[in-house]
């Protein structure tokens, strides 16, 4: 008679840990709805009697089965040892979120009809917009439920992750052992402990997240004594950091020294005499400049005065010339009248002689 324990699972280990790398799962899940929408649109492009909504249900079942079947086929390759593994399987088992688009592309290509191939060749805006709109429709209606997507991607991930880098393979005899394990599993979901951060991820990703978390307090990059939030480091270093490099307040008068902001008082007190000399030289140069400006101003005033005198002389000369011309015109007018008088007198003499 068979042992009941041997008829359940693997040697009775029928309580399985289903935890997976949350980051990888999210990346894979995000690809499913766009893939379903694209396949549905491509398969009905140009069909007057069918639209993507009429085939989406069957397409989801077919897409899910296709990806699971392909991942199982790849998994069987691993039984032959490392030397027999294809590049595709290596990619699938090491970079599953990058491998899944390959499966999706193969499936979508197999569903294209003739018109889809043609429109795909020309990349028509209408076709791409239709795919985008149908994707949004499926997401809005939550057509592919999160639980379904999780189950699909989890199955695919377990098939191709032969090294168990992205999922937990542990199984247990009793549920309490499984419960105890899940509280310690490296793929359990944890929250970031940095104040202000609401990110959640698998425990295996703690160090990776901590190295980029914008809310993480880290030592100042300019080596001041403060711990600063990573996202505010640039602002801290360029504004309030006591180790920020600044120019001497007397830079404009000649001191070109740069130093940490916290050293300002020490620098100014230590170089007081030097700064006074710089200021004195500037004052001397300014005095010389003022004297030069006074001389220039006096010269301009003289030039202006001469121009005014010259202008006055020019007006007087013009007036005299105008008067002379007027006198000449008056004389010509008088001479003209005298000639007219003589002409009339001659005309009268001729008439009287006749």
């Amino acid at each position: 008679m068979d042992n009941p324990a041997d008829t359940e699972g693997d040697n009775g280990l029928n309580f399985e840990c289903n935890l997976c790398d949350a980051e990888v799962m999210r990346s894979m899940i995000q690809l499913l709805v766009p893939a379903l929408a694209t396949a549905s649109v491509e398969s009905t492009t140009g069909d007057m009697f069918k639209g993507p909504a009429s085939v989406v249900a069957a397409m989801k079942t077919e897409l899910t089965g296709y990806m699971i079947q392909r991942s199982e086929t790849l998994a069987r390759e691993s039984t032959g040892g490392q030397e027999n593994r294809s590049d595709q399987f290596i990619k699938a088992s090491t970079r599953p979120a990058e491998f899944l688009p390959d499966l999706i592309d193969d499936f979508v290509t197999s569903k294209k009809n003739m018109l889809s191939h043609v429109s795909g060749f020309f990349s028509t805006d209408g076709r791409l917009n239709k795919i985008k709109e149908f994707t949004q429709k499926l997401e809005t209606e939550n057509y592919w439920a999160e639980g379904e997507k999780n189950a699909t991607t989890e199955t695919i991930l377990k098939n191709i992750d032969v090294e168990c880098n992205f999922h937990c393979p542990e199984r247990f005899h009793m549920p309490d052992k499984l419960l105890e394990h899940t509280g310690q599993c490296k793929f359990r979901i944890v929250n970031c402990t940095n104040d202000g951060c609401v990110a959640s991820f698998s425990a295996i990703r703690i160090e990776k997240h901590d190295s980029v978390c914008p809310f993480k307090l880290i030592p100042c990059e300019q080596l001041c004594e403060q711990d600063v939030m990573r996202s505010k480091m640039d602002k801290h270093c360029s504004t309030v950091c006591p180790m920020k490099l600044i120019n001497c307040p007397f830079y404009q008068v000649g001191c070109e020294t740069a130093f940490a902001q916290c050293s300002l008082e020490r620098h100014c007190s230590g170089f007081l005499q030097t700064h006074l000399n710089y200021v004195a030289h500037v004052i001397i140069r300014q005095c010389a400049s003022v004297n030069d400006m006074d001389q220039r101003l006096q010269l301009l005033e003289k030039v202006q005065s001469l121009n005014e005198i010259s202008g006055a002389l020019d007006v007087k000369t013009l007036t005299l010339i105008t008067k002379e011309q007027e006198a000449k015109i008056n004389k010509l007018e008088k001479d003209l009248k005298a000639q007219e008088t003589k002409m009339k007198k001659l005309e009268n003499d001729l008439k009287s002689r006749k």
Side-chain angles (χ1 to χ4, degrees):
M1 185 174 179
D2 293 334
N3 187 332
D6 293 335
T7 63
E8 297 178 338
D10 296 330
N11 298 321
L13 302 176
N14 55 345
F15 293 96
E16 179 183 5
C17 180
N18 292 318
L19 296 177
C20 299
D21 189 326
E23 182 177 324
V24 173
M25 286 288 288
R26 276 194 290 264
S27 298
M28 296 174 70
I29 287 171
Q30 289 172 356
L31 298 170
L32 294 183
V33 172
L36 178 59
T38 303
S40 299
V41 170
E42 296 285 23
S43 67
T44 57
T45 296
D47 193 326
M48 297 177 59
F49 305 101
K50 287 184 180 179
S54 66
V55 300
V56 67
M59 196 63 66
K60 181 174 74 170
T61 301
E62 196 172 346
L63 174 61
T64 300
Y66 176 84
M67 291 191 297
I68 291 176
Q69 184 272 323
R70 283 285 304 275
S71 64
E72 289 173 347
T73 301
L74 278 175
R76 283 195 291 271
E77 293 182 10
S78 65
T79 59
Q82 291 281 352
E83 66 279 359
N84 295 323
R85 293 177 180 176
S86 64
D87 292 339
Q88 187 181 36
F89 178 79
I90 293 173
K91 180 179 181 180
S93 60
T94 57
R95 304 189 304 278
E98 295 179 24
F99 163 72
L100 194 59
D102 295 342
L103 288 186
I104 291 171
D105 289 343
D106 291 344
F107 179 79
V108 170
T109 300
S110 71
K111 294 303 170 185
K112 285 185 177 182
N113 58 27
M114 183 59 68
L115 286 174
S116 289
H117 280 288
V118 174
S119 62
F121 178 76
F122 289 105
S123 297
T124 58
D125 291 337
R127 167 180 159 275
L128 297 177
N129 288 335
K130 193 171 183 179
I131 292 172
K132 182 178 179 181
E133 290 172 2
F134 195 54
T135 300
Q136 292 174 344
K137 174 180 171 62
L138 295 180
E139 289 175 342
T140 301
E141 297 177 353
N142 194 26
Y143 180 80
W144 200 333
E146 291 301 317
E148 292 180 286
K149 289 189 285 188
N150 276 319
T152 300
T153 51
E154 184 180 305
T155 300
I156 296 170
L157 185 59
K158 288 181 177 180
N159 284 340
I160 60 180
D161 183 25
V162 295
E163 302 294 338
C164 300
N165 293 318
F166 308 104
H167 82 285
C168 180
E170 296 293 333
R171 292 172 177 266
F172 302 90
H173 288 286
M174 303 297 292
D176 58 336
K177 293 295 183 181
L178 173 61
L179 183 62
E180 181 183 349
H181 163 78
T182 54
Q184 303 172 351
C185 180
K186 64 181 180 180
F187 293 109
R188 72 189 186 279
I189 299 297
V190 296
N191 297 319
C192 179
T193 58
N194 296 321
D195 287 342
C197 185
V198 295
S200 59
F201 39 82
S202 294
I204 197 173
R205 299 279 181 175
I206 290 177
E207 291 185 6
K208 179 182 177 181
H209 172 80
D210 202 56
S211 68
V212 297
C213 179
F215 295 91
K216 172 77 172 180
L217 290 177
I218 56 177
C220 172
E221 292 177 352
Q222 295 179 156
L223 305 181
C224 79
E225 296 180 354
Q226 298 181 39
D227 287 334
V228 184
M229 195 177 292
R230 180 177 280 115
S231 61
K232 297 182 178 180
M233 182 63 71
D234 289 345
K235 183 178 180 180
H236 166 80
C237 291
S238 63
T239 55
V240 299
C241 179
M243 295 303 292
K244 169 192 171 185
L245 285 179
I246 60 173
N247 289 323
C248 175
F250 295 91
Y251 179 84
Q252 297 295 333
V253 298
C255 183
E256 298 181 354
T257 307
F259 44 82
Q261 193 166 227
C262 60
S263 302
L264 173 60
E265 186 176 347
R266 183 170 65 253
H267 170 81
C268 289
S269 61
F271 291 86
L272 177 61
Q273 187 60 47
T274 302
H275 292 157
L276 289 175
N277 290 337
Y278 282 134
V279 173
H281 287 311
V282 170
I283 292 173
I284 292 172
R285 289 198 300 269
Q286 287 179 340
C287 289
S289 177
V290 169
N291 291 334
D292 181 63
M293 291 299 294
D294 284 341
Q295 293 176 3
R296 289 173 181 270
L297 181 59
Q298 291 174 9
L299 180 60
L300 287 173
E301 289 174 347
K302 289 180 181 179
V303 170
Q304 183 178 4
S305 178
L306 290 173
N307 287 337
E308 290 174 353
I309 294 172
S310 175
L313 292 175
D314 288 343
V315 171
K316 187 175 181 180
T317 301
L318 181 60
T319 302
L320 291 174
I321 292 173
T322 302
K323 288 182 177 180
E324 289 177 357
Q325 293 298 322
E326 289 177 347
K328 290 180 180 180
I329 291 172
N330 290 334
K331 184 176 181 300
L332 288 173
E333 289 177 344
K334 290 179 179 179
D335 291 342
L336 181 59
K337 289 181 178 180
Q339 292 295 328
E340 289 177 348
T341 302
K342 287 181 180 181
M343 289 295 294
K344 287 182 178 180
K345 184 179 180 181
L346 288 173
E347 288 178 355
N348 292 332
D349 290 344
L350 288 173
K351 288 180 180 179
S352 62
R353 288 180 183 178
K354 289 180 179 180

